[in-house]
Amino acid sequence: MQYKFKIAGGDFSNAGTVASSVKKILRQLNIDHPVSKRIVIALYEAEVNVVAHAHSGIIEVDIDNEKIRIVITDQGPGIPDIEKAMEEGFSTASPQVREMGFGAGMGLSNMKKNSDILNITSEPGKGTVVELIEFLKSDAR
Ligand SMILES: Nc1ncnc2c1ncn2[C@@H]1O[C@H](COP(=O)(O)OP(=O)(O)O)[C@@H](O)[C@H]1O
Ligand SMILES: [Mg+2]
């Protein structure tokens, strides 16, 4: 099954709506709760990052019998130093963004913790591609 969503940069009132939709879909598919919880947390962080740091983005969700694969592709400034960005507490979020409760610098490390595979590629000045994979146990479906 494949699903596709769009996200608008700067639209904080809708930050997290894709993660909520995917949560519902996974529940309807009877995906094991600990698995869906992890991937939804990781997706939420990736979605918020597009809203907070990029101009626009697309989220593609692909579910098969073995795994959930989510690819988040955005147009934006990109991440010049991914290793640095992964550090807990590192954030370039503006004071306004922090005032709204975002920008603690924990998103990428949270994504790492809550996914089986996290791949980030980025082209500074163009955008970022984040791939999240969560494997389903054979007895979980
Ligand atoms: N999609 C993205 N586009 C551009 N920069 C990003 C993106 N995602 C993360 N970053 C950069 O990595 C930093 C760390 O991200 P994260 O751990 O989620 O913390 P936070 O979002 O709270 O700043 C961000 O502050 C930003 O500089
Ligand atoms: Mg973040």
Side-chain angles (χ1 to χ4, degrees):
M1 272 139 308
Q2 284 176 314
Y3 306 85
K4 200 167 173 174
F5 306 86
K6 283 185 187 164
I7 345 168
D11 185 6
F12 284 94
S13 60
N14 282 311
T17 54
V18 176
S20 301
S21 301
V22 170
K23 187 179 179 179
K24 271 185 210 148
I25 289 168
L26 297 178
R27 197 187 300 143
Q28 278 160 7
L29 291 172
N30 262 324
I31 306 259
D32 190 34
H33 183 62
V35 169
S36 62
K37 194 176 174 185
R38 274 164 58 80
I39 194 84
V40 167
I41 290 170
L43 171 58
Y44 173 81
E45 293 291 356
E47 181 183 0
V48 168
N49 278 353
V50 175
V51 174
H53 307 296
H55 307 311
S56 63
I58 287 173
I59 295 180
E60 288 166 289
V61 181
D62 198 335
I63 304 163
D64 63 29
N65 288 328
E66 285 157 21
K67 64 190 176 308
I68 305 164
R69 178 173 178 263
I70 301 181
V71 180
I72 302 102
T73 306
D74 73 48
Q75 286 72 50
I79 307 175
D81 186 343
I82 294 172
E83 212 176 303
K84 180 94 197 153
M86 292 289 307
E87 286 174 14
E88 294 189 355
F90 176 87
S91 178
T92 60
S94 65
Q96 292 93 310
V97 169
R98 282 167 204 259
E99 219 150 86
M100 286 185 278
F102 303 97
M106 299 300 288
L108 292 175
S109 54
N110 240 338
M111 283 155 62
K112 178 98 195 151
K113 275 181 209 142
N114 286 286
S115 56
D116 291 331
I117 296 177
L118 167 65
N119 278 316
I120 303 174
T121 53
S122 189
E123 204 176 321
K126 284 198 111 177
T128 301
V129 180
V130 173
E131 179 188 39
L132 296 165
I133 295 178
E134 198 79 41
F135 293 106
L136 306 172
K137 296 214 191 70
S138 54
D139 60 347
R141 299 205 60 198

